[in-house]
Structures are given as structure tokens and as C-alpha cells.
Amino acid sequence: MRRVALAVGALAACAEPEHGMAPPDAFVFPQPPATPVTLTWTLQHADGTPDVCPPNSTAEVIIWCGRLGGSVQPGPSCETGMAATGVAPQPRDSCGIGVQIRDATGKLFATTIPTFVPATGVLTTVHHDVITDRGRLQTHWKITKGGLVSNCQVVNVQNVSIEVTTPSGMGASFMTDCFSTSAATAALPTGPAHVTITAGSVSASQDVEVPTGMLTAELPPLTLAFP
């Protein structure tokens, strides 16, 4: 019994933090250094030809950090082409920086995907080419049968085809899962377009407007009406 008591006492002594120190398994990850960033941008068409900012437009800095989420910082006029900012990621985190442009009315005109910024603590320059004449469409559809709400399983449809045509002749055509009830297109020329969604022998269409600046337009759902 005395040996058992001594052993328990020894284990308890080992388990106690010595001099207020944290136990070995309470490792704290080091804080990454804050990194100052100079963000620059130019506007251009998808074919590489230069474009200009909309009159009296402004730029905003997009900062996206995995654990902190996203934030938007007011910036200078779009024509300035440069803004000073920075990132301060959390441990085991990463951050990206992008830019978005708003026209004189405050309407969003263009946006870019944030670029990863290494947490070095050293001034970093990030450049973005803002594509102005392309956009995307988020299509939606719903199934009815005999005038009542239904689903893909009831009408025995696995896939739908989505076709987008534009006056310029450039468009998109692809197949996707019917059950998802939504799909995004690839980048399309900004301007008028026609969308047709087909499931089996049933189709529905709508005229739409492809947005500017790589933005995505949410389309109202098309009804695929099965008899």
C-alpha cells in the first residue's frame, strides 16, 4: 500500500505545472507577422486591351482571411490605381487581397478574386488585372408535373443541359445534375444573352443580361413543366 501511495504521489507531482508553466500539450502557435501591402490594379478587356474606369468610380479593397472572414475597406478613386493596406492573419491562417470597383451610383461594376499574401512582415506589392467585359450567370430551375411542384426523381431525369447564346456567337453549353437545381456558367461576354435549360424533352428559356467585371448575376428560376 505504501508503494502504491508513493507511485500516485510521483505521478501527481509530474502532472503539476512547475513554476506556473503551461503543460507541454498546451502549445501556442506563434502569431504571424502583419504584412503591409501595396495593392495596384488596371482595367482591361478579356483579350488584354486596356479599358478605363467608369466616370467618378471608386475602388474598395477586399481582404479575406480564413478564420477572420472577409472585410471591405474603402479605397481611392478607381483611376488612382493604387491603395495601401495590409493583412494580419491569425496563427495557422492565410489571407488574400483583391479589389472591387463601384460606379458613381455605388453599383458594383467589377471584382477580382483575392490573391494570397504571404505573412512575411515585409512590404508586398499585389497587382490585379480587372476584367471588365466578362461576367457569369447563376442559373436556377424547378420541376413541375401536371402543374404541381415535383422533382427530378418523379419525372425520371438525372441531368439538365444549359445552353447560353450571345449575339456575338460566344456562349456556353454544359450538362449538370438535375437535383442541384442551380448551376453557374463560365465567364461570358458582358451584354444580352439567351439561356435555355432542357431536361429530357422539356425546355424553358429566358433573355438575360450578363454583368460586367466578372460579377455573377442570379437568374430567376426557370420552370421545367412536365405534363
Side-chain angles (χ1 to χ4, degrees):
M1 290 295 293
R2 186 170 181 274
R3 291 182 180 178
V4 172
L6 288 173
V8 171
L11 288 173
C14 292
E16 288 182 5
E18 187 175 357
H19 304 298
M21 295 176 61
D25 59 350
F27 177 76
V28 177
F29 285 90
Q31 178 72 36
T35 301
V37 178
T38 299
L39 174 65
T40 63
W41 61 87
T42 54
L43 275 63
Q44 65 180 46
H45 295 145
D47 63 6
T49 57
D51 199 2
V52 296
C53 297
N56 301 314
S57 56
T58 57
E60 295 175 334
V61 179
I62 308 167
I63 299 179
W64 183 266
C65 298
R67 298 188 181 211
L68 297 177
S71 63
V72 177
Q73 298 178 352
S77 67
C78 173
E79 290 87 352
T80 303
M82 182 177 69
T85 183
V87 297
Q90 296 297 305
R92 296 185 296 170
D93 204 353
S94 61
C95 294
I97 285 184
V99 63
Q100 62 186 24
I101 310 299
R102 292 188 183 274
D103 65 19
T105 68
K107 180 181 177 182
L108 196 59
F109 172 78
T111 189
T112 65
I113 298 174
T115 297
F116 168 70
V117 177
T120 61
V122 179
L123 178 64
T124 300
T125 298
V126 173
H127 179 77
H128 278 254
D129 292 322
V130 182
I131 306 301
T132 60
D133 62 344
R134 292 290 185 271
R136 296 185 176 88
L137 302 173
Q138 186 72 37
T139 62
H140 301 270
W141 59 91
K142 57 185 179 181
I143 305 290
T144 65
K145 183 175 175 59
L148 300 176
V149 176
S150 188
N151 57 59
C152 304
Q153 184 176 5
V154 171
V155 299
N156 194 28
V157 172
Q158 297 295 320
N159 299 302
V160 300
S161 66
I162 300 173
E163 184 176 4
V164 184
T165 56
T166 66
S168 66
M170 180 179 175
S173 181
F174 60 97
M175 298 281 291
T176 189
D177 175 24
C178 176
F179 294 89
S180 64
T181 70
S182 179
T185 68
L188 297 163
T190 294
H194 188 74
V195 177
T196 300
I197 300 179
T198 303
S201 60
V202 175
S203 296
S205 302
Q206 61 184 323
D207 292 322
V208 300
E209 192 76 16
V210 179
T212 58
M214 298 304 288
L215 300 173
T216 299
E218 289 280 346
L219 303 183
L222 285 171
T223 299
L224 299 171
F226 286 77

